[in-house]
Amino acid sequence: MKDELQNGEERDEVLQAVGQLPQSIEPQRDLWPEIASRLDAPVTSRRPGVQMGWTLALAAGLGCMALGALLTVGLMKRADTGAPNTLTAQATAPANSATAAATTPGAADAPQVRQASLGGYAMLGPEYEQARATLMIGLAERLDRLPPLERQKVERNLNEIRRALGELNAALKLAPNDTLLRELLLNTYHDELTLLANVNQIADSIPSRTPS
Amino acid sequence: MIKRYFLVAALLCSSLAFAEEDVDHSLQADPKGDVDISNVAGSVSVSGWDRQVVRVTGSLGDGVERLDFTSEGKRTVIKVVLKKSTHWGDGGGADLSIRVPSGSRLDINTVSADIDVHGVTGAQRLQAVSGEVSTEVGAEEAEVKTVSGDVVLRGESKPSVLNLTTVSGNAQVSRIAGEMIATTVSGDFNLSAETIARARLRTTSGNLSLRGALVGDARVDSETISGDLSFIFKSPINAEFDVETFSGDIENCFGPRSQSKSEHGPGRELHFRQGDGKAEVRINSLSGGISLCDR
């Protein structure tokens, strides 16, 4: 385009056309009354949280979530004091959750740790990833303490959350800059962690039995 | 003759198999002490009284190894211990009726045993896997968690803090006030509050409704993925509303109508101020519908 404009003839034509443009365009109606009424209207702040920008909000959210996840795992580790050594070993599983699930004894039946979008769980930070992996591995052992029907319900609802994550990620592909979707996605990741932590905690609280 | 012996033996065996042991024990307890109760199957019914005594009556199923009942300092523990050989659904539970000082703080854990609490004014922490939870709460904090158990919770219109979580259990909450956090994956929640100061409500696919009056600087933050959210606020409403969906509908019966977020997208949004707008109501949804109304 630049080269074309450097062509003298074409440049003259463009300048000529620009020169023929009107100096101003009068609106077909008087716009001022509408502008004035809007200026007089009370100022309503829309979504103050969003004003700081979704990237900042997302970063803050991820930080909070990782912190929450670490706290959850920390509390669970404390609750696990006195539990079999295998659980302690699981709690210090490596950040690579899939490897952890595959190599930890007794975790063969653990629900698969799936990768998600938003850059995958890895993008949520290594602490989050490790917290989730630990909860997932602990879940397999704890689910065994629940009645079979309840176990199925928990698994069905975990799948429900994962289906929601799938829907959100699919929608994000269509609208990658949608702040609503990003917020929902972040909170749904958090919901998954919360569900895992709650189920683990409920299973831990199940009244004990004596040896037969 | 031999047949008769067989019959008697069979009857003995069957009566032993279904043998139940009645219990009736009492211990002194602190008027505002902690009472921890755990049971697997059967039921736990707790009621408050004005005596400084915890009394446990009921029956233990044949799968029960023993009932631990201790009281030390401010803590009373009632624990049903099952035999290792007892399997889920073997009827190895216990039906317990427990009287506690009305100011006690309760911590109850069950698997399929139903929990029923009334007349207790202290804080409550109730947890069941599939058991149903029915309770009355006063001004103290209440935390109720279930996997699939349904929850019925009645308040006394006194400001308190309620934390309610289910995986798939439904909840019916009435006459509460103050702060509430309600979270479910697929359960349906019907929440009715006298006054709402703070509410954080989350559902994945369950439907949730909230009814009540917003206090001056109330904050309501609600989110759903595919479940429907319904709000009925008592008039006059003084709140600023920020409602947004990615693809769900928004219905509003007292303020402006929602608008499309974009020319071609399915999303809707609704931002408006009602009255002086001191309270804030924020609702987000992926595909679930949102309904706002006044009464």
Side-chain angles (χ1 to χ4, degrees), chain B residues 101-106 119-125 136-142:
Chain B
S102 56
S104 302
R105 296 161 55 93
L106 292 178
V120 179
T121 56
Q124 298 178 26
R125 185 172 170 273
E136 295 168 350
V137 296
E140 293 290 330
E141 189 175 345

Side-chain angles (χ1 to χ4, degrees), chain A:
Chain A
M1 185 75 173
K2 239 179 189 175
D3 294 338
E4 286 172 8
L5 282 177
Q6 278 170 0
N7 180 311
E9 245 180 67
E10 282 183 17
R11 188 176 54 197
D12 290 342
E13 280 175 18
V14 170
L15 288 173
Q16 197 179 358
V18 169
Q20 287 171 355
L21 287 171
Q23 292 297 309
S24 64
I25 299 173
E26 290 297 321
Q28 292 176 338
R29 59 188 172 85
D30 185 7
L31 298 175
W32 182 245
E34 199 175 321
I35 295 168
S37 70
R38 288 198 183 188
L39 287 174
D40 290 338
V43 180
T44 57
S45 63
R46 283 183 43 173
R47 299 176 147 272
V50 173
Q51 283 173 0
M52 67 174 164
W54 68 263
T55 43
L56 192 58
L58 185 63
L62 288 174
C64 288
M65 198 159 66
L67 194 66
L70 277 175
L71 194 65
T72 305
V73 171
L75 288 171
M76 287 187 62
K77 277 183 184 173
R78 281 177 60 185
D80 280 344
T81 308
N85 287 337
T86 48
L87 262 183
T88 313
Q90 287 163 3
T92 53
N96 185 331
S97 51
T99 313
T103 57
T104 308
D109 296 332
Q112 287 299 304
V113 180
R114 294 185 190 178
Q115 292 298 309
S117 290
L118 194 71
Y121 284 114
M123 194 174 165
L124 299 174
E127 294 90 353
Y128 173 86
E129 200 181 17
Q130 183 170 354
R132 185 176 180 277
T134 305
L135 286 169
M136 287 299 294
I137 295 163
L139 180 76
E141 189 262 341
R142 285 174 175 86
L143 276 178
D144 284 340
R145 300 183 200 171
L146 297 180
L149 192 63
E150 298 309 308
R151 203 179 310 155
Q152 287 170 17
K153 285 177 183 170
V154 169
E155 284 165 353
R156 201 159 51 233
N157 281 277
L158 266 173
N159 287 334
E160 187 77 23
I161 290 183
R162 284 170 193 150
R163 187 187 58 76
L165 286 170
E167 280 181 25
L168 285 163
N169 280 313
L172 265 169
K173 280 182 184 168
L174 299 172
N177 294 321
D178 192 307
T179 52
L180 170 69
L181 289 178
R182 288 185 170 269
E183 193 179 340
L184 287 170
L185 183 71
L186 193 65
N187 287 336
T188 307
Y189 279 131
H190 187 262
D191 285 347
E192 187 193 27
L193 269 191
T194 306
L195 175 62
L196 294 173
N198 276 335
V199 170
N200 285 348
Q201 189 239 321
I202 287 174
D204 279 341
S205 307
I206 286 178
S208 58
R209 297 165 190 232
T210 58
S212 53

Side-chain angles (χ1 to χ4, degrees), chain B residues 254-277:
Chain B
F254 62 88
R257 299 183 66 172
S258 65
Q259 296 179 333
S260 287
K261 277 169 70 179
S262 65
E263 200 175 333
H264 305 293
R268 311 285 302 176
E269 63 183 354
L270 177 62
H271 306 283
F272 70 103
R273 175 178 284 187
Q274 183 81 3
D276 66 18

